[in-house]
């Protein structure tokens, strides 16, 4: 059973969390809206469209910084109870600082589970709608790429002509194999079909090797290579188009399976899945670290000092996590280790800090 002061501390923590989340939501929205206004400036869209699209994008962006919101939330929590001397409730009831940290850690862990089970599916759906919506206003078809059982599919638009491309792709080679390019006019009337065993795609000027061109009832085998200008290249195909935040957990597992069938790397998918699954642990550790720091600094420090300290810690932890993620994606260390090793480091720091926390 939760005691009255247990409920009070939990309620205060979540109030601070909601308040801080709304602040960060607003900041991200303001920053995003400028980008969307720039994107839609050349389209015939209504004035409200950039604001709507920005609102669709913000939840997934907010998801990325929840660990740091939790860290600063814990700081604000301790600042308030220390200022009002409400932490004396703990001593009056013959409890200690570990007890309070347990309550906050459990709250953060439950919050992390709610994010995985409720918030993430919601934000991924909004992110999917975001891309789908922007695609309808995109002039270059840059969002239209799909991996399926029949390989890579691309829709590209060049000089009022539409290209539907099917090929076999491998993320380790800057080539497409077994390439079929269907060329249509703007009314989707077939102009010609280009077939080739290989196409070099290191740049936006593709080199189609000795293609066979089907036009009308004629078939022509060329003995030389031809070039095709595209909005796609090797890097763009492999990195830009799959925003994993637009896929829910089931879709991520399906994507992983498809990639394995196609011989395509699933490292980024594995990394994303592990980061989502480990989020409750990550949030819990951030609470402990923040609590330890707040209970170990002098009470006369100004308010701005605590805010700057929280931001500094957030930046340091963010870059540490990113470095290990890069190590995982570049095969320097296993993917699972790239996610859990930073958590292990933070856990060790937390355990060391908890040893003498009750003396504070």
């Amino acid at each position: 059973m939760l005691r009255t002061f247990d409920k009070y501390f939990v309620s205060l923590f979540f109030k601070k969390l909601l308040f801080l989340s709304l602040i960060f939501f607003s900041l991200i929205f303001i920053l995003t809206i400028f980008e969307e206004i720039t994107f839609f400036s050349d389209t015939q869209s209504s004035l409200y469209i950039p604001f709507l699209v920005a609102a669709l994008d913000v939840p997934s962006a907010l998801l990325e910084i929840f660990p740091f919101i939790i860290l600063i939330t814990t700081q604000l929590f301790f600042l308030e109870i220390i200022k009002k001397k409400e932490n004396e409730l703990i001593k009056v009831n013959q409890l200690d600082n570990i007890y309070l940290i347990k309550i906050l850690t459990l709250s953060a862990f439950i919050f992390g589970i709610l994010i995985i089970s409720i918030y993430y599916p919601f934000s991924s759906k909004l992110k999917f709608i975001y891309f789908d919506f922007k695609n309808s206003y995109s002039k270059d078809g840059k969002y239209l790429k799909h991996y399926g059982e029949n390989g890579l599919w691309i829709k590209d638009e060049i000089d009022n002509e539409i290209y539907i491309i099917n090929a076999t792709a491998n993320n380790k080679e800057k080539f497409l194999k077994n390439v079929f390019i269907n060329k249509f006019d703007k009314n989707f009337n077939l102009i010609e079909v280009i077939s080739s065993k290989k196409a070099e795609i290191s740049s936006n000027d593709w080199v189609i090797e000795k293609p066979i061109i089907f036009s009308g009832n004629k078939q022509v085998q060329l003995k030389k290579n031809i070039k095709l200008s595209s909005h796609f290249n090797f890097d763009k195909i492999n990195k830009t188009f799959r925003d994993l935040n637009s896929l829910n957990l089931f879709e991520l597992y399906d994507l992983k399976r498809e990639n394995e069938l196609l011989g395509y790397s699933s490292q980024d998918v594995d990394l994303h899945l592990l980061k989502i699954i480990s989020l409750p642990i990550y949030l819990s550790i951030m609470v402990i670290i923040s609590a330890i720091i707040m209970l170990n600094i002098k009470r006369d420090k100004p308010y701005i000092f605590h805010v700057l300290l929280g931001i500094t810690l957030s930046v340091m932890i963010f870059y540490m996590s990113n470095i290990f993620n890069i190590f995982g994606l570049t095969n320097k260390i296993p993917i699972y280790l790239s996610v859990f090793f930073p958590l292990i480091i933070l856990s060790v720091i937390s355990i060391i800090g908890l040893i003498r926390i009750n003396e504070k």
Side-chain angles (χ1 to χ4, degrees), residues 32-274:
T32 304
I33 193 64
F34 291 110
E35 179 183 347
E36 301 304 337
I37 289 174
T38 301
F39 178 87
F40 286 99
S41 60
D42 296 328
T43 66
Q44 300 297 320
S45 61
S46 302
L47 184 63
Y48 71 90
I49 293 297
F51 295 89
L52 173 62
V53 173
L56 293 172
D57 189 39
V58 171
S60 63
L62 189 67
L63 179 68
E64 299 290 329
I65 61 172
F66 265 132
F68 314 115
I69 292 176
I70 285 285
L71 187 148
I72 300 174
T73 295
T74 307
Q75 285 186 298
L76 297 180
F77 172 87
F78 276 98
L79 280 174
E80 179 157 336
I81 66 169
I82 291 172
K83 180 181 178 181
K84 295 181 179 180
K85 296 184 179 180
E86 292 172 341
N87 56 321
E88 298 299 325
L89 285 172
I90 300 174
K91 298 178 181 178
V92 170
N93 288 274
Q94 298 181 339
L95 298 170
D96 52 27
N97 290 327
I98 292 291
Y99 155 78
L100 184 56
I101 292 175
K102 283 180 180 178
I103 290 179
L104 299 183
T105 303
L106 181 59
S107 299
F109 187 84
I110 293 173
F111 179 69
I113 293 175
L114 291 176
I115 288 178
I116 294 174
S117 57
I118 299 174
Y119 183 86
Y120 179 73
F122 173 74
S123 68
S124 65
K125 183 63 177 178
L126 291 182
K127 190 73 171 182
F128 178 84
I129 296 172
Y130 165 82
F131 280 118
D132 192 50
F133 198 87
K134 286 190 72 171
N135 175 55
S136 64
Y137 285 90
S138 175
K139 293 182 178 180
D140 59 10
K142 60 183 177 181
Y143 295 99
L144 299 182
K145 189 211 73 170
H146 173 69
Y147 281 98
E149 294 182 358
N150 295 321
L152 170 68
W153 288 89
I154 291 175
K155 174 182 176 291
D156 202 356
E157 296 183 19
I158 307 165
D159 297 330
N160 292 321
E161 293 177 333
I162 301 169
Y163 291 78
I164 305 295
I165 303 166
N166 177 229
T168 302
N170 187 314
N171 70 317
K172 295 181 180 180
E173 298 178 350
K174 296 185 178 182
F175 294 94
L176 296 179
K177 297 180 179 179
N178 302 318
V179 183
F180 288 90
I181 303 171
N182 298 280
K183 182 178 177 182
F184 300 88
D185 62 22
K186 61 181 181 180
N187 296 316
F188 273 93
N189 296 310
L190 183 64
I191 299 173
E192 63 182 16
V193 177
I194 302 173
S195 173
S196 175
K197 292 184 178 180
K198 195 173 185 181
E200 194 267 326
I201 57 169
S202 59
S203 69
N204 290 84
D205 291 322
W206 293 13
V207 178
I208 314 296
E209 297 188 1
K210 299 179 180 179
I212 301 174
I213 299 178
F214 302 89
S215 181
N217 296 321
K218 296 181 181 180
Q219 174 180 326
V220 180
Q221 169 75 63
L222 299 184
K223 296 183 178 180
K224 62 180 182 179
N225 301 337
I226 64 172
K227 286 190 175 182
L228 174 69
S229 295
S230 174
H231 293 101
F232 294 80
N233 56 46
F234 174 78
D235 290 330
K236 215 170 184 182
I237 287 173
N238 285 330
K239 298 177 182 178
T240 305
F241 298 89
R242 273 190 314 182
D243 192 306
L244 299 179
N245 285 319
S246 65
L247 304 176
N248 61 40
L249 292 175
F250 298 106
E251 291 168 335
L252 286 169
Y253 279 111
D254 287 340
L255 177 60
K256 176 179 169 63
R257 180 180 57 82
E258 286 181 5
N259 286 349
E260 290 172 350
L261 289 173
L262 296 168
Y264 192 81
S265 174
S266 295
Q267 287 181 316
D268 54 343
V269 181
D270 292 334
L271 178 65
H272 191 71
L273 281 168
L274 287 172

Side-chain angles (χ1 to χ4, degrees), residues 278 281-282 285-286 288-289 317 320-321 324 333-353:
S278 64
I281 300 173
Y282 196 0
I285 294 173
M286 296 298 274
I288 296 172
I289 289 177
I317 293 171
M320 180 184 71
S321 298
F324 279 99
I333 58 176
I335 284 293
Y336 69 89
L337 197 58
S338 71
V339 174
F340 289 108
F341 194 69
L343 295 182
I344 293 171
I345 294 175
L346 295 174
S347 297
V348 171
I349 295 173
S350 301
I351 293 170
I352 294 173

